[in-house]
């Protein structure tokens, strides 16, 4: 049975027979044994090498090849035993497949015409393991290395995939599993000849897969991007997040709609994601040689950017329509002051003591001025960064502000939906008014983290962490600056605490370890009393960070860091990164501004450690200043909660879209084509003139060490 590009088998990439000899990317001549091209792109700035799934073939990627732009060429791997290589025996091991592909990419017959062009690898399911091992071989040889690895529908190479022994299953059982996963048209599964050929290949490939298990210390020097399908019945976000342990560079997660074969079935969406990552890698310092991206025309300028919000608002004004909420952060706070109850507004907006630390946070941003550069051609900006192992559309996360039901009955549920709608990660507070399970259901497949106040009762602490792991939270942010409640007049004068009224303790009332310590049939007072006794631990020491590190594999960030030595101690005790924060000025009156502390913390940990910051961020220019001074991303808190109280989910979305539009325009107006292009020379103190200044390099370590500006962000944090 022969397959052609019009058949369902070709569309899904299952090898069901022989095919005509493929042509090379240069056309006309027989293709190399291992690599097959579909479109002639001699001027490509990068090549994407694609590895099929078990039972699959190179033609799985024909549609993706067509969807990619002219500056990205595609080569598909053709495994032995199928299509034009049907006469060869199937490979016995993943290592054998990887060795064959690595040789094809480096030897004189299959690799010479592609020399000098950066290679990006993409593996689907079993193909992810082959791609990973190929990348390892390439980095150990002289010649091309992988600039980035994309993986789809695959657990990490050191994980137990728990694949069944298909040789022990009947044909009917295997076909039933294929129907469950999707990807093969029913017409093909009803054809006996097709099924025989498919089962032959599938059994051989799964045998190789079952034999393979990479060591846990097998790592790539290239970054890894996970393409996660929301409806994949075999692979969860938590499982695929384990890829982070197998790279020394950034680890990102992108989500797709659909099931196990979403990579094959959604070529346009996959091409969009891959193109963005490839072009960003080519434009940034890193392992990929700098190669020119496809030129952008004036007609393309700004198409589909967050800044379009400005145009949309102004055009709507022609019909007499205005935004429901203000676009100005200070005015938004004023509107919240008018509409919220005094207790609710005091809880959200209040600061410690005289408010000196809160004022210092804003004054710190005002002390720095942006120095725009002209004629840089930044017609289309890439806001994306890698944060907490996930590629995000902007360097912004929603801060974990607790007890949000104080301002809106849906509380964190509405905020999580708004975060998902804008693609930004939601960081859930331990002191949320909705349980982490409820929030996970509303957040969808998008990234989310869990902020932890470590309870004094360690059984409760471990239970909270295990629940976070089970419900798809992929990083922990340990807050260490709130063992004692700050002196907050806005809460003390009205004698108001939402927590003592049962708002903000849902993660405890839903926790089995917490409930195990309650008396039989407890009343509300007994529940709140137990919460108050164990919810935080004022006796925390650095060894407790090490304990937390030892009991979870999730990435761990320590939030509340202001002193460089504390940043170093956090790393020594197992944290992967830090969040520079003074709790939004809510804890210590007269403390240092978070932005003022940021450069010294970055200098203390170096350029490769994720550093986030919060406290005082209000607009897009603030985000740029934080990036220039050493942050990988920021946590954004009070403004979105004002939006929540004023207009629910719609209000949160409005506030977030305004921030993203402002950030996008700030990048454009400063001449930055991407968030990763922001460097220390973008800002100067307000009392200095721009330009080379004596001692400027000494002020900012990143000015001396370009490596200190690499963006390998990893985490989260924020105010309670």
């Amino acid at each position: 049975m022969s397959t052609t590009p019009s058949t369902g088998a070709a569309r899904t990439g299952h090898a069901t027979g022989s095919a005509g000899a493929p042509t090379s990317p240069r056309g006309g001549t027989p293709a190399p044994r291992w690599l097959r091209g579909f479109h002639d792109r001699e001027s490509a700035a990068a090549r994407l090498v694609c590895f099929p799934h078990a039972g699959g073939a190179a033609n799985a990627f024909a549609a993706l090849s067509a969807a990619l732009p002219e500056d990205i060429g595609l080569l598909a791997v053709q495994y032995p035993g199928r299509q034009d290589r049907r006469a060869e025996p199937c490979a016995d091991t993943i290592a054998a497949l990887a060795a064959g592909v690595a040789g094809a990419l480096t030897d004189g017959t299959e690799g010479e015409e592609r020399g000098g062009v950066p290679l990006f690898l993409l593996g689907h399911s079993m193909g992810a393991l082959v791609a990973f091992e190929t990348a390892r071989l390439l980095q150990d040889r002289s010649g091309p290395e992988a600039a980035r690895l994309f993986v789809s529908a695959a657990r990490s190479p050191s994980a137990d995939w728990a694949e069944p022994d298909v040789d022990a299953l009947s044909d009917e059982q295997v076909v039933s599993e294929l129907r469950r996963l999707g990807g093969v048209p029913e017409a093909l599964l009803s054809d006996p000849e097709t099924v025989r050929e498919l089962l032959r290949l599938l059994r051989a490939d799964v045998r190789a897969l079952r034999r393979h298990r990479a060591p846990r210390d097998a790592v790539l020097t290239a970054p890894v991007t996970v393409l996660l399908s929301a409806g994949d019945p075999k692979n969860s976000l938590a499982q695929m997040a384990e890829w982070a342990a197998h790279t020394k560079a950034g680890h990102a997660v992108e989500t797709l709609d659909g099931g196990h074969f979403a990579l094959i079935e959604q070529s346009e969406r996959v091409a969009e994601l891959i193109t963005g990552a490839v072009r960003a890698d080519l434009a940034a310092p890193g392992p990929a040689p700098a190669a020119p991206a496809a030129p952008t025309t004036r007609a393309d300028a700004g198409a589909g950017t967050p800044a379009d919000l400005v145009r949309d608002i102004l055009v709507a004004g022609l019909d007499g329509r205005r935004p429901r909420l203000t676009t100005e952060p200070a005015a938004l706070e004023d509107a919240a002051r008018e509409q919220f109850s005094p207790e609710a507004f005091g809880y959200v907006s209040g600061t410690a003591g005289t408010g000196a630390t809160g004022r210092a946070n804003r004054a710190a941003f005002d002390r720095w001025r942006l120095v725009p550069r002209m004629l840089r051609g930044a017609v289309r900006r890439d806001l994306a960064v890698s944060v907490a192992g996930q590629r995000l559309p902007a360097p912004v996360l929603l801060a974990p502000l607790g007890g949000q039901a104080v301002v809106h009955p849906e509380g964190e549920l509405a905020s999580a939906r708004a975060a998902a709608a804008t693609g930004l990660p939601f960081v859930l507070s331990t002191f949320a008014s909705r349980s982490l399970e409820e929030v996970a259901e509303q957040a969808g497949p998008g990234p989310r983290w869990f902020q932890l106040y470590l309870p004094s009762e360690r059984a409760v602490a471990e239970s909270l962490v295990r629940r976070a792991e089970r419900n798809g939270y992929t990083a922990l942010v340990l807050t260490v600056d709130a063992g004692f409640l700050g002196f907050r007049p806005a809460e003390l004068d009205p004698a108001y605490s939402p927590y003592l009224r049962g708002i903000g303790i849902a993660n405890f009332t839903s926790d089995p370890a917490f409930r195990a310590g309650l008396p039989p049939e407890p009343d509300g007072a007994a529940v709140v009393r137990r919460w108050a006794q164990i919810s935080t631990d004022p006796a925390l020491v650095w060894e407790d960070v090490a304990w937390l590190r030892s009991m979870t594999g999730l990435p761990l960030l320590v939030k509340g860091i202001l002193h460089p030595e504390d940043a170093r101690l956090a790393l020594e005790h197992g944290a992967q990164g830090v969040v520079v924060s003074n709790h939004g000025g809510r804890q210590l009156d007269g403390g240092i501004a978070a932005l003022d502390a940021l450069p010294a913390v970055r200098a203390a940990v170096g350029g490769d450690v994720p550093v986030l910051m919060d406290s005082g961020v209000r607009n897009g220019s603030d985000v740029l200043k934080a990036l220039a001074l050493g942050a990988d991303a920021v946590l954004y808190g009070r403004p979105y909660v004002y939006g929540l109280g004023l207009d629910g989910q719609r209000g949160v979305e409005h506030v977030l879209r305004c921030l993203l539009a402002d950030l996008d325009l700030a990048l454009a107006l400063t001449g930055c084509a991407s968030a990763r292009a922001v460097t220390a020379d973008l800002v100067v103190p307000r009392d200095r003139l721009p330009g080379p200044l004596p001692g400027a390099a000494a002020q900012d370590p990143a000015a001396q060490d370009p490596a200190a500006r690499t963006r390998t962000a990893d985490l989260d944090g924020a105010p309670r």
Side-chain angles (χ1 to χ4, degrees), residues 138-179:
L138 292 176
Q139 71 187 17
D140 292 337
R141 301 181 181 184
S142 61
E145 292 187 21
R148 180 178 291 271
L149 171 64
F150 300 91
V151 297
S152 167
R155 301 182 190 182
S156 81
S158 62
D160 180 2
W161 281 37
E163 287 291 325
D165 181 0
V166 290
D167 290 324
L169 299 178
S170 67
D171 291 354
E172 291 74 16
Q173 288 174 311
V174 177
V175 170
S176 176
E177 176 65 6
L178 289 174
R179 286 193 171 97

Side-chain angles (χ1 to χ4, degrees), residues 624-638:
L624 282 196
K625 292 174 183 179
L627 297 181
L629 292 172
D632 293 302
V634 303
L635 283 296
Y636 195 58
R638 288 183 178 99

Side-chain angles (χ1 to χ4, degrees), residues 587-645:
Q587 283 297 95
L588 176 66
D589 195 21
I592 185 174
L595 190 71
D596 287 342
L598 176 60
V601 170
R602 168 56 77 188
V605 302
D608 292 333
V609 173
V611 175
L612 280 74
M613 72 85 59
D614 67 19
S615 304
V617 179
R618 291 295 179 268
N619 58 32
S621 292
D622 292 343
V623 178
L624 282 196
K625 292 174 183 179
L627 297 181
L629 292 172
D632 293 302
V634 303
L635 283 296
Y636 195 58
R638 288 183 178 99
Y640 88 78
V641 178
Y642 294 146
L644 172 66

Side-chain angles (χ1 to χ4, degrees), residues 167-514:
D167 290 324
L169 299 178
S170 67
D171 291 354
E172 291 74 16
Q173 288 174 311
V174 177
V175 170
S176 176
E177 176 65 6
L178 289 174
R179 286 193 171 97
R180 185 178 75 91
L181 294 177
V184 185
E186 184 60 34
L188 294 180
L189 291 178
S190 300
D191 179 75
E193 183 181 349
T194 298
V195 170
R196 274 195 303 273
E197 180 67 4
L198 181 55
L199 293 179
R200 178 184 71 84
L201 295 171
L202 191 61
R203 287 193 163 106
D205 288 348
V206 172
R207 281 195 293 271
L209 192 159
R210 282 167 54 85
R211 295 186 184 107
H212 186 76
R213 191 83 170 267
R216 292 193 62 82
D217 60 355
V219 295
L220 301 181
T221 56
V224 175
T225 295
V226 170
L227 303 177
L228 174 69
S229 302
D232 188 346
K234 292 187 68 174
N235 302 284
S236 68
L237 177 59
Q239 290 167 331
M240 295 184 71
E242 294 175 3
W243 277 94
H246 293 282
T247 173
K248 294 180 180 179
H251 163 252
V253 175
E254 296 280 8
T255 56
L256 302 171
D257 293 330
H260 190 72
F261 285 94
L263 178 81
I264 308 301
E265 297 166 343
Q266 297 183 33
S267 299
E268 295 291 337
R269 170 62 174 154
V270 173
E272 176 188 345
L273 292 174
I274 289 175
T275 299
V278 168
R279 287 179 174 172
D281 285 344
L282 294 179
T296 304
T297 66
R298 283 180 170 80
D300 293 330
T305 67
D308 290 346
L309 177 69
V310 173
R311 178 201 63 202
D312 295 343
I313 289 175
L314 296 178
V315 170
L318 298 175
D319 296 328
R321 290 178 288 139
R322 296 181 178 181
R324 293 168 60 91
L325 299 180
T326 178
T327 60
E328 204 279 313
L332 186 74
E333 182 174 353
D334 291 340
R337 181 183 289 106
E338 293 180 6
Q339 183 164 321
F340 290 9
S341 70
E343 294 82 5
F345 183 76
Y347 165 70
V348 176
S349 67
T351 55
T354 65
T357 307
R359 293 191 298 274
N361 284 333
R362 289 303 307 149
F365 281 100
D366 195 47
R367 281 194 294 274
W368 291 93
R369 293 290 188 260
L370 295 168
V371 185
R373 300 297 305 275
M374 299 298 121
L375 305 181
R376 294 296 187 91
V379 293
R380 187 181 280 174
R381 283 77 55 198
D382 180 10
L383 277 63
V385 295
S386 179
V387 177
Q390 310 207 10
R391 185 176 169 82
L392 306 175
V396 178
L397 303 89
L398 276 69
L401 201 149
Q404 294 182 22
V406 167
V407 301
H408 190 278
E410 280 202 298
E412 292 82 2
L413 300 183
S415 296
R417 291 196 301 269
T422 55
L424 300 179
F426 184 70
V427 186
L428 180 70
S429 172
T430 300
F431 294 161
S433 48
R434 298 290 189 141
S435 73
L436 54 85
E437 288 84 2
E438 292 176 294
V439 172
E441 290 178 1
Q442 297 289 309
R448 54 186 176 272
W449 289 266
F450 185 61
Q451 175 269 338
L452 180 66
Y453 291 106
L454 199 64
S456 58
E457 197 170 290
R458 291 298 183 259
V460 177
E462 182 168 0
S463 180
L464 288 170
V465 171
R466 298 299 179 225
R467 290 167 62 198
E469 292 170 338
R470 288 195 300 270
N471 285 277
Y473 295 81
T474 54
L476 291 179
V477 181
L478 175 65
T479 297
V480 296
D481 62 354
F484 299 90
L485 188 67
F487 191 89
R488 305 174 186 173
E491 297 176 35
L492 295 173
D493 289 355
Y496 178 76
S497 167
Y499 306 108
L500 298 183
R501 289 164 170 76
I503 300 173
I505 65 173
N507 281 322
F508 291 86
T509 58
S510 58
D511 190 86
F514 175 84

Side-chain angles (χ1 to χ4, degrees), residues 658-676:
C658 285
L659 177 67
L660 294 176
D662 193 19
L663 173 58
D664 189 24
L665 285 170
L667 284 170
L669 294 171
T670 53
C672 295
S674 71
R676 287 184 288 185

